Amino acid sequence: RITAHADHGSDDSLFLYLPLTAPHTPWLPTEEWSGKTSISHYGDFVAQVDGVVGQVMAALEESGMAEDTLLVVTSDNGSHWPVSDIERWGHEANNGLRGQKADIHEGGHRVPFLARWTDRVPSGEESGELICLTDLYATIAAITGGVPEAGGEDSFDLSAHFMGERAEKPVRDQVVHHSLHGKFAIRQGPWKLIMKRGSGGFTKPANVKPKEGEPTGQLYHLERDPGETQNVWAEHPEVVAHLGDLLQGLKERGHSRAPR
């Protein structure tokens, strides 16, 4: 698709969405990639995904499109990687974050987001900006000069941030999370509020019934505690109240950004 577009000589922009099924199960690395890592066949399969990204990058270089292409590599959720797999393989696929795919905790939602755009995206720079994958809609629309007539009610334009511009206030003020079994959470600044106890997903216990006097939900300060090890719900009732009201307002409104 990339080389065909370049060979055609079109002045039109090319948008390529490449949603790989890997490294989702079944974990089946090809013969070329089997044994490439010391982690397991799962590690080999992840390395194979990296190889596919390399093929895309090579095609962009060979076609002469690399210098003027925004390349984004990310994931839709954290790894499905229970504690038993960590113990079995000695590898933490979610980089030490709590939980896994489907959970309300960071292991289910915080994913790598890599962007390359020569002479635009600063090379080698890391950003602490709060973003969500829904933001790609408004961001790509802004970069290509198109403004959607409707839709994107939860999409924020991050194009300026991609090109190294840093605003005084974050583009996205908050983000809402949702687990497989219906638990809501909201993130704003360093704080993350989870409305109930338990993982809400694959990790046991999915649900926890609090005892009398115990917190009914979870509150974490992610800058100090990215592993979500210290529930500080009881220590910060004002934060619980603020974020709870914010989440309820967003749920009632049905969107996080004013519709176009």
Side-chain angles (χ1 to χ4, degrees):
R1 178 65 176 167
I2 294 172
T3 53
H5 182 82
D7 292 342
H8 188 264
S10 173
D11 292 330
D12 294 335
S13 299
L14 171 66
F15 174 77
L16 176 62
Y17 173 54
L18 184 60
L20 302 177
T21 54
H24 194 283
T25 54
W27 299 337
L28 299 172
T30 61
E31 183 177 351
E32 176 187 358
W33 291 95
S34 295
K36 287 288 186 180
T37 73
S38 60
I39 297 171
S40 68
H41 57 294
Y42 177 79
D44 298 340
F45 206 31
V46 172
Q48 184 174 324
V49 171
D50 292 344
V52 172
V53 175
Q55 289 178 308
V56 172
M57 295 175 69
L60 289 171
E61 293 286 350
E62 292 167 7
S63 65
M65 296 169 59
E67 297 297 305
D68 197 32
T69 296
L70 170 62
L71 175 67
V72 173
V73 182
T74 187
S75 175
D76 56 346
N77 50 249
S79 293
H80 183 187
W81 200 252
V83 174
S84 58
D85 281 339
I86 296 175
E87 295 173 347
R88 180 183 181 188
W89 302 111
H91 173 68
E92 296 191 65
N94 291 316
N95 197 31
L97 296 174
R98 183 177 179 180
Q100 57 179 313
K101 172 185 175 180
D103 292 352
I104 198 64
H105 295 116
E106 290 296 277
H109 297 264
R110 186 183 296 209
V111 296
F113 188 97
L114 309 176
R116 188 190 77 166
W117 196 5
T118 305
D119 296 331
R120 292 176 176 86
V121 175
S123 178
E125 186 171 301
E126 294 184 7
S127 171
E129 185 84 7
L130 181 64
I131 68 172
C132 181
L133 295 187
T134 57
D135 298 332
L136 285 171
Y137 180 80
T139 301
I140 292 173
I143 289 172
T144 57
V147 178
E149 294 182 2
E153 297 92 343
D154 295 298
S155 189
F156 291 79
D157 175 14
L158 300 170
S159 57
H161 189 79
F162 273 23
M163 290 181 276
E165 299 178 20
R166 299 292 182 261
E168 291 183 6
K169 295 182 179 180
V171 176
R172 170 182 280 279
D173 179 60
Q174 43 64 32
V175 66
V176 175
H177 300 284
H178 192 260
S179 77
L180 175 65
H181 299 309
K183 278 185 172 51
F184 272 98
I186 186 166
R187 166 83 185 273
Q188 187 181 52
W191 295 106
K192 178 178 176 181
L193 179 76
I194 304 172
M195 297 309 298
K196 296 183 179 180
R197 302 276 295 279
S199 75
F202 292 150
T203 300
K204 297 180 180 180
N207 296 290
V208 173
K209 185 177 181 179
K211 299 177 182 178
E212 186 175 353
E214 287 187 340
T216 57
Q218 305 169 66
L219 178 69
Y220 300 103
H221 192 288
L222 295 181
E223 287 183 0
R224 294 195 293 259
D225 182 25
E228 296 170 290
T229 62
Q230 301 294 323
N231 181 5
V232 293
W233 175 288
E235 290 87 338
H236 297 279
E238 74 290 350
V239 178
V240 171
H242 166 69
L243 292 180
D245 289 344
L246 178 60
L247 176 60
Q248 184 60 32
L250 291 170
K251 290 166 68 175
E252 292 175 357
R253 194 168 68 183
H255 54 80
S256 55
R257 188 192 53 75
R260 292 181 177 83

